[in-house]
Amino acid sequence: MLSRPKPGESEVDLLRFQSQFLAAGAAPAVQLVKKGNRGGGDPNSDRPLLQDHRDVVMLDSVRILMFGIFSFSHLPDLPPALVPSPPKRARPSPSHPLPEDEDPEERLRRHDQHITAVLTKIIERDTSSVAVKLPVPSAVAFPAVFHRSQDTQGKSATSGKRSIFAQEIAARRLSEARVPSVGEVVPNLGPPEGAVTCETPAPRDQGCQLPGSSHSFQGPNLVTGKGLRGQEAEQEAQTIHEENVARLQAMAPEEILQEQQRLLAQLDPSLVAFLRSHSRTQEQTGEKTSEEQRPGGPSANVTKEEPLMSSSASEPKKEDKLEPEAPALTLPVTLQEEWLHMDTVELEKLHWTQDLPPLRRQQTQERMQARFSLQGELLAPDMDLPTHLGLHHHGEEAERAGYSLQELFHLTRSQVSQQRALALHVLAQVISRAQAGEFGDRLAGSVLSLLLDAGFLFLLRFSLDDRVDGVIAAAIRALRALLVAPGDEELLDSTFSWYHGALAFPLVPSQEDKEDEDVDEEYPAEKAKRKSPEEESRPPPDLARHDVIKGLLATSLLPRLRYVLEVTCPGPAVVLDILAVLIRLARHSLESATRVLECPRLIETIVREFLPTSWSPVGAGPIPSLYKVPCATAMKLLRVLASAGRNIAARLLSSFDLRSRLCRFIAEAPQELTLPPEEAETLSIEALRLWAVAASYGQGGDLYSENQSLFFPRELYPVVIRALQVVPQELSTHPPQPLSMQRIASLLTVLTQLTLAADSTPAETISNSDEASLSVTSLVTWTQVSGLQPLVELCLRQTLKLLSRPETWRAMSPVPAACLLFLGAFYQAWSQQPSSCPEDWLQDMERLSEELLLPLLSQPTLGSLWNSLRHCSPLCNPLSCAPAPEAPPSLVSLGCSGGRPPLSLTGSASPFPFLTALLSLLNTLARIHKGLCGQLAAILAVPGLQKYFLQCVAPGAVPPLTPFSAWALRHEYHLQYLALALAQKAATLQPLPATHAALYHGVALALLSRLLPGSEHLAHELLVSCVFRLDFFPERTSGGPEAADFSDQLSLGSSRAPRCGQGALLAQACQDLPSIRSCYLTHCSPAQASLLASQALYRAELQRVPTLLLPVPTEPLLPTDWPFLPLIRLYHRASDTPSGLPPTDTTGTAMRVLQWVLVLESWRPQALWAVPPAARLARLMCVFLVDSELFRESPVQRLVAALLTQLCQPQVLPNLNLDCPLPGLTSFPDLYANFLDHFEAVSFGDHLFGALVLLPLQRRFSVTLRLALFGEHVGALRALSLPLTQLPVSLECYTVPPEDNLALLQLYFRTLVTGALRPHWCPVLYAVAVAHVNSFIFSQDPQSSDEVKAARRSMLQKTWLLADQGLQQHLLHYKLPNSTLPEGFELYPQLPPLRQHYLQRLTSTVLQNGVSET
């Protein structure tokens, strides 16, 4: 193999290497690829060149191969080099593209022309006016050599960034040019009398001197002519200077002083100080130059403090009063001549050595730029810190300590690697503190959102490609701080052994699930493989804007992390950071976990380097390297990957030899692993959890069974038995060690899954062929787990003895919960063994109940756990589920950085894990042994549980749906469901107390509308067993229907709508509960695929479990208005089917829905509190929109009338608000317009239909609804024949307050005058229109506009001239609304005097002038 050139080898060596390469005839490592034309070229231009077409150069008869540009696509492991971009090449004209097959040399020769074509175009420059100068005589043969050591301290300070050499050359050229001075251009400018004169300078250097001033101008100071060419610039600058001097000479000294004061008042003080310093520098330079050229000559001594003003002896200097002088530059040190490179001092470059300006105190409440210390702490704006801390190295706000985010971003692009690493470290600290909530409300906005919007994500990705290990380490640390919330992993690990604690929601933004709403029938693995083309084509910044993890994965992050682990071999901290980042990527989704698994050599490297089966002993203390040392975090990464899907778990077990490693780390006790004690405990815990996850899919049973491989015997049964035997000894240790308790709980979780695997039967069919090929039939038999129950029961008895000692109980709380879950799984598997005798397991259940469970239920200390449910419940304490302080929508986290309070669902004092496991065991025993159900169900009557249920169904704030609230509420809903399931089993044997039954039914209704995705099985079971259970309706036997009839008579009376018979309707609904349940099971059941996956999890059908990742919790499974859901689906089907729906299906579904809603409105009103009355009214209107004949059915008519009565009750009607946004409805006015169209077409004067049309026309609702009827659907007025006595609300709701919309009033008057609105056609709206028109024509509001006054006058005149005397009498003599009268209102016998006088005055005007409009 040819070696690469090394430093120090000569050109001869390079030529020798090339000759060897050419002689060998080997293929080059790099191929030259011709880039395509930007303007569009040959599509085959990307084809690599043939090997025979190499470009070679001849040098001394030796061929040299020209190296091309490397293509990094062949070297994915190498970090991209930070090199500048290639220089831009000229783009060819689109109209003249360059032919690619033409030789450039031939093309140049063809277009070349003779030199004569160029010489003929030469035009000589005119030099007739150029002065001829003789060379300057010199005493030396050659010019003097310029040395930088020459003293140039007096040079101009306004040189900007020009070097010393450039300044010297410019000064020499200026002196050689000998530009005429100002004194030569404007000679003999003498001062006026009384002015102090200076000595006359020599004619060669004499400048312009201002009259009445001791200041002389040697030339222009500010205007230099920079930008103009050559002599033009100097002449133009000199001309401007002469004009300025001439203007100053024409002014009196007093005028000059006034102009100076005016300019000082207008200009910025900093600009004035700059101009003065510039002028002083120019003067000093001129003086020193004159002294060097003519030493001892006469000169004008002008001090730098002397202002540009008259300086007579009697007039004081006023400059000090106007503006203080800028202080001279004072350095903190005294410059010494012997200092290296300080012989020439450039003062403008030493400004940074001055002392900082004093810290300005904030005088206003304006926001200031946030600044952070090197530890990421937010510094107060007025905090004065010493400079030795290194917090003042910034130009902006130099007096303030700390660095802003913008300055830190700028520092990350520094050329110094230490500065880049420092900036990344500070940013990581800032992010960590922001996620911990340390900044609180002291910052405006979110730090994480600001950083992500600024491109911080890709800044980290670019930093990962750095060549310096320190920068890479800092970038990985910052990436971990950004992606990994500190408390999330601790929270998920501590709850792994809970009831279904291994299941978790993916940490993916909710927007990602929108495109999957219409494909619910797909399995999760198929969803992960399916990728939309738009997503593949979207650039990483667009992906990161919606999902940070997807944006990172699109930047080839995984290959880069693998390269860092495999090639650079970083330190332990960097390795742990990389593993933490990979765990976060795996928790994102099944797709991300699959990409982590399929990254080439990534998992192989992690397993080989950080999970070895043999290693050197490692003692306590810091470890110099994690390579070839077992790492618990690496085992956790594999466990999280396996949780993403059964396919991934099978590949991990089969492809990476994890069985041998699991046996290695489980077979030995943690203290025998020759690792640090804490690391050994954690490694053992993670190994057990990985085994438990594999067993959740029915895999990994061969590790436990007695079936041994020929090469790798893996019988862990003796190890497990030995570990269970020493558990009582570990439990007696005081104080209990948290890691030991977690290890025992993890061991019990493994045994629980293995016991269920012994009961699980192989799946009949598996839809996914890959998963089917990788699914392994469980090798665990019942005889191998049947002996575990006595050992686990012994551990449970020992822990229950500590229930009266709260501190010790909290420390070992994971162990008793895991024991209870194991016993539940054990009895479930035992009862399903075909070879077992039922008498054996029934007697054992009775023994366990008598000896252990019933004494436990009677303990007073258990009651304290039930009482603490309300204090630890997130549902009862919504503020505990508040979003995290830093929660950008594109980066999901649980937001547990602030820790876990003891009185919380996940706190140390939480009763949820133990009580949930206890209820799970009780449900299992009650389902198997019906005789124990009554005794075990006594636990439901404890006061703590009853109070908790009452608070859960009480109206109040519901926790917002955040990632943490979804995770926490899921565990709380488990406890509620298990309690309801136990109550349902008890209700089948004996009636429940009426108060308890109603309470359980209310909890079931509330839980059904709150369950989240992943709990489809629970929702289905609630619909089947609890929600429509007749035993949960004690009202049916305690006079509920009769009470409804009596309430109907009291509220409505005989003068209202005809009695709808609510009692009979409720009684009929109770009889039809099985049909109602079937209707809702048809329309409200979850999707089949989701239901099957959820059933596999909760029924422990291990071979059917696809993944331990739950669906994304975007919203609850059922909407809050789920009782109306079948009716809404009927409405949408009717809208999509022009021919209409089958009448039997439509009528039956509508009747069942209306019956169920009536039951809820009458007996469970709290179940509909979340549905606004306006939404309920809109759902009722859908009954009339579904079909043109549905509302005519007599049962439907009675049910709708009963529900309309419920909506019009005095306690409900004030809450009817049609102007607010309604759930599931885009616009109520649009629905009402559609409703009016349907009414006008098919109602035929139906009174119930008309009552629903009239209800939204009340005065307090939007005028848009009334305008829609009187403006666009006037024909519907003739069909609104609802009598006043059947109006469901009071008539005053339509007449009070008076109408103020002029357009509607005019429509009222028009329909009355034209006869479109008549009392026998539409009595209700006739009375309403008369009332509003009467109030308008007799109103005398002085604040009315001229338009309103004119309309009022015109309407009254037309009313007085009406030919219809009855209508005229009604409009003029209207008094009050009264629905008992035939007209609906009372009339004045005669007009009141005020109205009579007003009418007479108006009519007299009409008689005199006439009416112009008819």
Side-chain angles (χ1 to χ4, degrees):
M1 177 180 292
L2 298 177
S3 61
R4 291 180 176 272
K6 298 180 178 58
E9 293 180 342
S10 63
E11 185 179 359
V12 178
D13 299 325
L14 296 179
L15 296 177
R16 186 179 71 256
F17 292 157
Q18 189 172 24
S19 62
Q20 295 175 1
F21 173 76
L22 294 175
V30 178
Q31 295 181 351
L32 292 178
V33 179
K34 185 177 297 182
K35 294 187 62 177
N37 194 353
R38 292 186 181 181
D42 187 8
N44 301 324
S45 59
D46 293 338
R47 183 176 63 246
L49 298 177
L50 299 178
Q51 298 299 328
D52 298 336
H53 294 169
R54 300 174 187 157
D55 294 334
V56 295
V57 184
M58 304 304 296
L59 180 63
D60 293 335
S61 300
V62 180
R63 300 173 63 199
I64 301 178
L65 182 65
M66 298 181 64
F67 294 93
I69 301 177
F70 283 88
S71 175
F72 288 99
S73 60
H74 301 286
L75 301 174
D77 297 340
L78 294 178
L82 298 178
V83 296
S85 59
K88 295 184 178 179
R89 293 181 295 181
R91 178 181 298 181
S93 174
S95 59
H96 300 283
L98 296 179
E100 297 186 2
D101 55 348
E102 183 179 2
D103 188 8
E105 183 178 358
E106 180 63 26
R107 186 170 182 271
L108 182 62
R109 184 181 300 108
R110 186 175 67 252
H111 291 279
D112 192 14
Q113 296 181 1
H114 196 262
I115 195 173
T116 56
V118 181
L119 294 178
T120 55
K121 299 179 181 179
I122 295 177
I123 301 176
E124 295 186 3
R125 179 168 55 91
D126 186 10
T127 57
S128 58
S129 59
V130 177
V132 179
K133 298 180 180 179
L134 296 176
V136 179
S138 175
V140 295
F142 297 96
V145 179
F146 170 69
H147 295 279
R148 293 190 61 185
S149 58
Q150 295 178 359
D151 185 14
T152 58
Q153 195 169 359
K155 294 297 179 184
S156 171
T158 61
S159 57
K161 296 184 179 297
R162 299 174 64 185
S163 62
I164 300 177
F165 182 80
Q167 296 177 31
E168 290 289 346
I169 295 299
R172 179 172 300 180
R173 289 177 178 175
L174 183 63
S175 61
E176 291 177 356
R178 299 183 182 274
V179 180
S181 64
V182 182
E184 297 174 358
V185 178
V186 187
N188 302 327
L189 294 177
E193 289 185 357
V196 179
T197 60
C198 300
E199 297 181 4
T200 304
R204 186 172 176 270
D205 295 322
Q206 183 177 354
C208 299
Q209 187 172 1
L210 193 65
S213 172
S214 60
H215 194 114
S216 63
F217 296 98
Q218 301 297 329
N221 291 335
L222 295 179
V223 182
T224 60
K226 185 178 181 181
L228 301 178
R229 293 179 297 178
Q231 194 73 15
E232 238 178 77
E234 300 175 359
Q235 293 178 0
E236 189 66 25
Q238 188 64 31
T239 304
I240 295 174
H241 177 62
E242 294 172 4
E243 293 177 357
N244 292 337
V245 171
R247 182 168 299 181
L248 287 175
Q249 289 178 350
M251 297 173 63
E254 294 77 8
E255 295 177 353
I256 296 177
L257 181 60
Q258 292 178 0
E259 290 296 326
Q260 183 187 27
Q261 294 175 353
R262 184 176 64 83
L263 289 175
L264 291 175
Q266 294 176 353
L267 296 178
D268 187 11
S270 60
L271 179 59
V272 175
F274 166 74
L275 294 176
R276 284 177 173 165
S277 63
H278 185 78
S279 178
R280 286 195 299 269
T281 307
Q282 294 287 345
E283 293 170 6
Q284 293 174 1
T285 304
E287 291 173 3
K288 189 164 185 179
T289 304
S290 302
E291 290 174 1
E292 290 177 354
Q293 291 179 357
R294 292 179 304 277
S299 64
N301 299 322
V302 181
T303 61
K304 58 183 178 181
E305 290 86 1
E306 187 173 359
L308 183 61
M309 57 180 293
S310 176
S311 56
S312 60
S314 61
E315 184 177 359
K317 295 182 180 179
K318 300 181 181 180
E319 177 63 19
D320 297 335
K321 299 180 182 179
L322 296 175
E323 186 69 26
E325 286 291 337
L329 181 62
T330 57
L331 302 180
V333 294
T334 304
L335 301 179
Q336 304 294 332
E337 295 181 357
E338 60 272 12
W339 288 358
L340 185 63
H341 301 307
M342 291 298 291
D343 47 358
T344 301
V345 180
E346 299 176 83
L347 299 180
E348 66 272 10
K349 295 184 179 179
L350 296 177
H351 274 285
W352 65 273
T353 61
Q354 287 184 294
D355 293 335
L356 292 175
L359 188 65
R360 295 178 297 174
R361 302 295 176 181
Q362 188 177 5
Q363 302 295 334
T364 61
Q365 298 297 327
E366 295 181 0
R367 297 174 180 174
M368 302 186 68
Q369 193 175 33
R371 294 193 173 274
F372 303 91
S373 68
L374 297 181
Q375 288 74 35
E377 302 168 339
L378 180 63
L379 302 179
D382 55 351
M383 182 178 291
D384 193 3
L385 296 177
T387 57
H388 70 272
L389 298 178
L391 301 176
H392 295 82
H393 297 287
H394 51 83
E396 226 178 290
E397 298 177 329
E399 68 278 2
R400 287 187 56 194
Y403 300 95
S404 64
L405 295 179
Q406 182 180 1
E407 292 165 350
L408 292 173
F409 262 64
H410 182 72
L411 197 60
T412 57
R413 298 188 296 272
S414 172
Q415 294 184 355
V416 182
S417 61
Q418 292 86 347
Q419 293 181 352
R420 299 197 299 272
L422 176 64
L424 293 172
H425 170 74
V426 175
L427 288 172
Q429 294 289 334
V430 170
I431 293 173
S432 299
R433 295 180 183 274
Q435 289 186 340
E438 292 188 12
F439 300 149
D441 55 352
R442 294 188 293 167
L443 291 179
S446 170
V447 175
L448 260 63
S449 300
L450 180 63
L451 291 175
L452 291 176
D453 294 342
F456 179 64
L457 191 67
F458 298 99
L459 175 64
L460 294 180
R461 181 61 188 91
F462 298 151
S463 300
L464 286 177
D465 295 334
D466 204 293
R467 299 177 182 271
V468 181
D469 293 342
V471 178
I472 296 176
I476 293 175
R477 179 61 186 171
L479 188 63
R480 175 179 180 173
L482 177 66
L483 299 182
V484 183
D488 289 3
E489 294 300 324
E490 179 185 354
L491 180 67
L492 295 173
D493 292 343
S494 63
T495 59
F496 181 84
S497 299
W498 286 18
Y499 179 75
H500 290 284
L503 305 178
F505 291 108
L507 300 180
V508 58
S510 58
Q511 297 91 340
E512 298 297 327
D513 204 48
K514 291 182 179 178
E515 60 185 14
D516 296 338
E517 291 178 356
D518 300 330
V519 285
D520 292 334
E521 297 300 324
E522 296 184 18
Y523 281 87
E526 295 175 0
K527 288 184 181 180
K529 294 177 182 178
R530 178 178 47 80
K531 201 172 186 182
S532 61
E534 295 149 357
E535 183 178 327
E536 292 179 353
S537 61
R538 290 170 64 185
D542 290 349
L543 289 174
R545 193 175 299 111
H546 301 284
D547 192 335
V548 169
I549 301 299
K550 281 193 174 182
L552 271 176
L553 292 176
T555 60
S556 302
L557 174 68
L558 294 176
R560 182 57 183 170
L561 294 180
R562 185 254 305 159
Y563 172 82
V564 174
L565 289 175
E566 188 179 23
V567 178
T568 64
C569 298
V574 180
V575 171
L576 294 177
D577 289 342
I578 292 177
L579 294 177
V581 169
L582 293 176
I583 291 174
R584 176 61 183 86
L585 297 179
R587 289 197 185 276
H588 175 266
S589 60
L590 176 58
E591 177 189 352
S592 300
T594 305
R595 295 186 64 175
V596 172
L597 177 68
E598 294 179 349
C599 179
R601 302 197 310 280
L602 176 59
I603 302 301
E604 292 92 330
T605 302
I606 293 175
V607 172
R608 181 182 67 251
E609 300 295 342
F610 308 114
L611 290 175
T613 56
S614 61
W615 62 92
S616 302
V618 179
I623 302 177
S625 175
L626 282 181
Y627 284 80
K628 302 302 179 182
V629 177
C631 179
T633 310
M635 185 68 74
K636 179 181 178 180
L637 171 63
L638 301 181
R639 187 249 300 179
V640 175
L641 287 173
S643 301
R646 64 179 304 112
N647 190 7
I648 296 179
R651 291 177 60 182
L652 287 175
L653 290 176
S654 60
S655 303
F656 301 99
D657 195 20
L658 287 188
R659 289 180 170 84
S660 300
R661 286 170 168 80
L662 287 178
C663 291
R664 175 69 175 86
F665 301 130
I666 294 175
E668 293 189 46
Q671 56 270 19
E672 299 175 0
L673 287 177
T674 63
L675 291 172
E678 183 176 354
E679 182 69 16
E681 286 279 3
T682 309
L683 180 62
S684 179
I685 292 171
E686 291 300 333
L688 290 170
R689 288 174 178 171
L690 175 57
W691 191 13
V693 169
S696 300
Y697 303 120
Q699 303 169 4
D702 54 340
L703 297 176
Y704 178 81
S705 65
E706 297 179 359
N707 301 326
Q708 299 184 11
S709 171
L710 181 63
F711 301 100
F712 299 101
R714 303 190 184 98
E715 183 184 356
L716 291 180
Y717 178 78
V719 176
V720 172
I721 297 297
R722 186 168 57 252
L724 280 178
Q725 291 174 347
V726 300
V727 166
Q729 180 181 356
E730 294 185 9
L731 293 176
S732 60
T733 305
H734 185 78
Q737 300 298 322
L739 288 178
S740 298
M741 299 300 104
Q742 290 288 343
R743 178 171 51 81
I744 297 173
S746 301
L747 174 62
L748 293 172
T749 303
V750 172
L751 297 180
T752 302
Q753 297 299 328
L754 292 175
T755 304
L756 294 174
D759 170 49
S760 178
T761 57
E764 297 178 2
T765 57
I766 298 180
S767 61
N768 195 328
S769 60
D770 296 336
E771 294 178 2
S773 62
L774 290 173
S775 63
V776 181
T777 304
S778 176
L779 301 177
V780 182
T781 61
W782 173 248
T783 57
Q784 296 168 348
V785 297
S786 58
L788 300 176
Q789 186 251 358
L791 298 175
V792 177
E793 186 177 335
L794 179 63
C795 300
L796 178 61
R797 292 178 183 273
Q798 184 171 352
T799 55
L800 292 181
K801 294 178 183 179
L802 304 174
L803 186 59
S804 58
R805 299 162 57 183
E807 295 299 329
T808 308
W809 173 259
R810 294 175 184 177
M812 60 175 54
S813 59
V815 177
C819 291
L820 292 173
L821 293 176
F822 171 81
L823 292 178
F826 179 81
Y827 285 110
Q828 175 184 342
W830 192 4
S831 65
Q832 296 179 1
Q833 295 301 319
S835 60
S836 63
C837 179
E839 185 179 355
D840 296 338
W841 41 265
L842 289 176
Q843 290 180 357
D844 197 79
M845 289 180 184
E846 293 176 357
R847 178 196 59 79
L848 180 69
S849 176
E850 294 175 359
E851 295 180 2
L852 186 63
L853 295 180
L854 292 180
L856 172 64
L857 300 183
S858 61
Q859 285 191 19
T861 51
L862 186 64
S864 62
L865 294 180
W866 292 109
N867 292 329
S868 60
L869 280 177
R870 291 172 293 155
H871 306 291
C872 300
S873 164
L875 194 62
C876 301
N877 304 278
L879 295 180
S880 63
C881 297
E886 293 286 343
S890 59
L891 186 61
V892 179
S893 67
L894 297 181
C896 304
S897 303
R900 295 176 291 167
L903 286 178
S904 63
L905 183 135
T906 57
S908 58
S910 173
F912 278 93
F914 178 75
L915 294 181
T916 304
L918 178 61
L919 288 173
S920 175
L921 175 60
L922 297 181
N923 269 279
T924 303
L925 298 180
R927 184 180 66 254
I928 299 172
H929 196 318
K930 301 294 190 298
L932 298 176
C933 186
Q935 300 176 1
L936 300 178
I939 194 176
L940 301 176
V942 295
L945 182 60
Q946 297 293 317
K947 294 177 181 178
Y948 167 70
F949 278 166
L950 285 173
Q951 191 166 351
C952 288
V953 299
V958 180
L961 193 58
T962 61
F964 173 75
S965 67
W967 179 88
L969 290 174
R970 175 177 165 272
H971 289 286
E972 184 172 8
Y973 295 157
H974 284 161
L975 184 140
Q976 294 182 7
Y977 169 77
L978 293 172
L980 291 174
L982 186 59
Q984 177 264 331
K985 293 180 180 65
T988 58
L989 300 178
Q990 58 183 1
L992 296 175
T995 55
H996 291 179
L999 178 60
Y1000 298 151
H1001 191 245
V1003 174
L1005 291 172
L1007 179 61
L1008 182 61
S1009 61
R1010 293 169 178 169
L1011 286 176
L1012 298 171
S1015 303
E1016 290 83 2
H1017 171 67
L1018 305 185
H1020 186 265
E1021 289 297 316
L1022 286 177
L1023 289 173
V1024 171
S1025 59
C1026 292
V1027 173
F1028 302 101
R1029 191 172 192 84
L1030 196 59
D1031 301 329
F1032 285 169
F1033 288 99
E1035 293 85 356
R1036 65 184 177 87
T1037 58
S1038 59
E1042 293 78 5
D1045 285 338
F1046 183 68
S1047 175
D1048 190 15
Q1049 293 178 6
L1050 289 180
S1051 61
L1052 296 178
S1054 59
S1055 62
R1056 289 291 178 186
R1059 300 175 189 174
C1060 49
Q1062 290 193 29
L1065 294 176
L1066 290 172
Q1068 184 64 36
C1070 291
Q1071 296 178 7
D1072 295 339
L1073 276 179
S1075 301
I1076 296 174
R1077 179 181 61 183
S1078 300
C1079 174
Y1080 278 91
L1081 284 175
T1082 302
H1083 291 276
C1084 297
S1085 292
Q1088 187 69 15
S1090 303
L1091 180 60
L1092 291 177
S1094 180
Q1095 286 177 347
L1097 287 170
Y1098 285 97
R1099 293 178 179 177
E1101 299 173 356
L1102 304 185
Q1103 298 296 336
R1104 293 184 179 273
V1105 175
T1107 177
L1108 299 185
L1109 281 181
L1110 300 170
V1112 181
T1114 55
E1115 58 185 0
L1117 287 174
L1118 294 177
T1120 55
D1121 61 343
W1122 66 268
F1124 298 93
L1125 190 57
L1127 188 60
I1128 297 174
R1129 291 189 175 180
L1130 276 182
Y1131 169 72
H1132 288 301
R1133 286 174 54 193
S1135 302
D1136 299 337
T1137 309
S1139 59
L1141 300 177
T1144 55
D1145 182 25
T1146 304
T1147 305
T1149 302
M1151 283 183 56
R1152 303 312 174 203
V1153 172
L1154 295 175
Q1155 283 180 315
W1156 179 243
V1157 174
L1158 180 61
V1159 170
L1160 296 181
E1161 289 276 12
S1162 303
W1163 294 339
R1164 300 290 182 268
Q1166 69 274 10
L1168 296 176
W1169 279 341
V1171 185
R1176 291 181 238 169
L1177 174 62
R1179 273 58 175 175
L1180 283 183
M1181 294 167 66
C1182 292
V1183 176
F1184 297 84
L1185 296 174
V1186 167
D1187 194 358
S1188 60
E1189 298 295 333
L1190 177 61
F1191 67 92
R1192 301 184 189 279
E1193 299 290 338
S1194 178
V1196 175
Q1197 284 264 336
R1198 292 197 302 268
L1199 290 169
V1200 173
L1203 291 174
L1204 183 60
T1205 303
Q1206 294 283 346
L1207 279 178
C1208 296
Q1209 290 181 356
Q1211 64 270 23
V1212 180
L1213 191 61
N1215 298 325
L1216 184 62
N1217 185 9
L1218 303 179
D1219 298 331
C1220 64
L1222 301 178
L1225 196 63
T1226 56
S1227 172
F1228 186 84
D1230 294 342
L1231 176 66
Y1232 187 70
N1234 190 13
F1235 194 68
L1236 288 177
D1237 291 335
H1238 204 68
F1239 173 78
E1240 195 172 2
V1242 302
S1243 69
F1244 296 102
D1246 184 78
H1247 288 178
L1248 184 60
F1249 208 154
L1252 283 173
V1253 170
L1254 291 174
L1255 190 60
L1257 300 179
Q1258 299 177 52
R1259 178 64 183 88
R1260 61 191 182 95
F1261 297 140
S1262 173
V1263 70
T1264 306
L1265 305 177
R1266 298 189 290 277
L1267 288 172
L1269 176 60
F1270 283 90
E1272 302 174 8
H1273 300 85
V1274 183
L1277 296 175
R1278 187 163 186 172
L1280 281 171
S1281 58
L1282 181 70
L1284 289 166
T1285 56
Q1286 296 184 16
L1287 188 64
V1289 297
S1290 175
L1291 188 59
E1292 284 77 5
C1293 296
Y1294 297 88
T1295 59
V1296 179
E1299 185 62 60
D1300 54 358
N1301 187 275
L1302 182 58
L1304 181 59
L1305 287 169
Q1306 291 174 345
L1307 290 175
Y1308 281 160
F1309 188 73
R1310 180 191 301 173
T1311 54
L1312 290 171
V1313 172
T1314 58
L1317 183 59
R1318 298 183 182 182
H1320 58 278
W1321 287 351
C1322 186
V1324 176
L1325 293 183
Y1326 180 82
V1328 172
V1330 168
H1332 287 301
V1333 172
N1334 175 269
S1335 175
F1336 176 70
I1337 61 178
F1338 285 109
S1339 63
Q1340 300 181 16
D1341 186 6
Q1343 298 181 355
S1344 301
S1345 62
D1346 295 340
E1347 181 185 3
V1348 173
K1349 292 178 181 179
R1352 182 187 302 123
R1353 189 181 307 109
S1354 173
M1355 197 175 296
L1356 183 56
Q1357 291 172 358
K1358 294 177 182 178
T1359 303
W1360 182 71
L1361 296 174
L1362 276 176
D1364 188 349
Q1365 295 299 322
L1367 179 58
Q1368 183 188 46
Q1369 181 75 6
H1370 291 167
L1371 292 177
L1372 295 179
H1373 292 263
Y1374 172 84
K1375 181 180 180 181
L1376 290 174
N1378 189 348
S1379 58
T1380 60
L1381 298 177
E1383 298 84 1
F1385 48 84
E1386 300 177 5
L1387 297 175
Y1388 285 109
Q1390 59 181 3
L1391 287 178
L1394 185 60
R1395 291 190 175 186
Q1396 184 68 32
H1397 178 69
Y1398 178 69
L1399 183 59
Q1400 289 177 358
R1401 186 178 58 186
L1402 184 64
T1403 55
S1404 61
T1405 305
V1406 173
L1407 292 175
Q1408 293 176 5
N1409 302 331
V1411 181
S1412 58
E1413 298 179 5
T1414 59

